[in-house]
Amino acid sequence: KRDFVNRVMVTPPQQMWFPNSVELVEANVLTGSDVFVTKDGERRRENAVEMRLRRNIAATAERLNASMPRRLGATTTMVRASASGTTLTHHYRIEADLVDVEGTRRGIGRELRRQTCSDVDMALAIREGARFVHSYSDRRGRHAVDIAITECP
């Protein structure tokens, strides 16, 4: 906030500065109301919470991808993360030719929900509308199962 005010004060009239919607929201110039966001020629409404959430999820995917691929166990590798709006997807490869879809969904799903919902920041993000998806493929790259965490108890 202080940086925003400083920039306003030091920018001479000849170099007029027009802050974008993200800068206005982060500086609390725009609060609570909807903001029009334009991307790739598309205009849509987005409130301040959605805007912050979308930016945080994109930054998280970028941070995770900087250390990919990451071996998680004897048979599982996280290969990448992707962000789409308010959804963060973790993509995994299981070193097997055949994946037990229902067993994976039940067993791993419970543990992923427990881990996600016990993290204060992730649980808050879910309450604000975030989705965390864990997408598993077999060693040949064939999609096996998606596990979505969309609510916490």
Side-chain angles (χ1 to χ4, degrees), residues 23-44:
E23 291 167 320
L24 292 168
V25 168
E26 288 178 349
N28 286 331
V29 174
L30 296 177
T31 60
S33 62
D34 289 347
V35 176
F36 283 104
V37 177
T38 304
K39 183 178 180 190
D40 302 328
E42 173 191 331
R43 266 185 89 182
R44 61 182 168 75

Side-chain angles (χ1 to χ4, degrees), residues 120-153:
V120 175
D121 292 330
M122 293 175 86
L124 177 60
I126 288 171
R127 274 195 292 278
E128 292 177 339
R131 292 172 26 98
F132 295 95
V133 177
H134 300 269
S135 183
Y136 292 85
S137 297
D138 67 15
R139 74 173 66 183
R140 294 186 179 140
R142 294 177 299 202
H143 180 262
V145 63
D146 285 342
I147 301 169
I149 313 297
T150 59
E151 60 185 15
C152 290

Side-chain angles (χ1 to χ4, degrees), residues 6 10-11 24 28 43 50 54 60 77 95 98 104 106 110 112 114 120-121 126 132-133:
N6 288 340
V10 300
T11 303
L24 292 168
N28 286 331
R43 266 185 89 182
E50 292 167 332
R54 181 179 45 77
T60 299
T77 301
E95 297 302 324
L98 185 60
T104 299
R106 276 191 313 274
R110 276 192 299 270
L112 289 171
R114 187 194 65 71
V120 175
D121 292 330
I126 288 171
F132 295 95
V133 177

Side-chain angles (χ1 to χ4, degrees), residues 108-118 148-151 153:
I108 295 176
R110 276 192 299 270
E111 180 59 19
L112 289 171
R113 182 175 310 282
R114 187 194 65 71
Q115 287 175 4
T116 301
C117 293
S118 65
I149 313 297
T150 59
E151 60 185 15

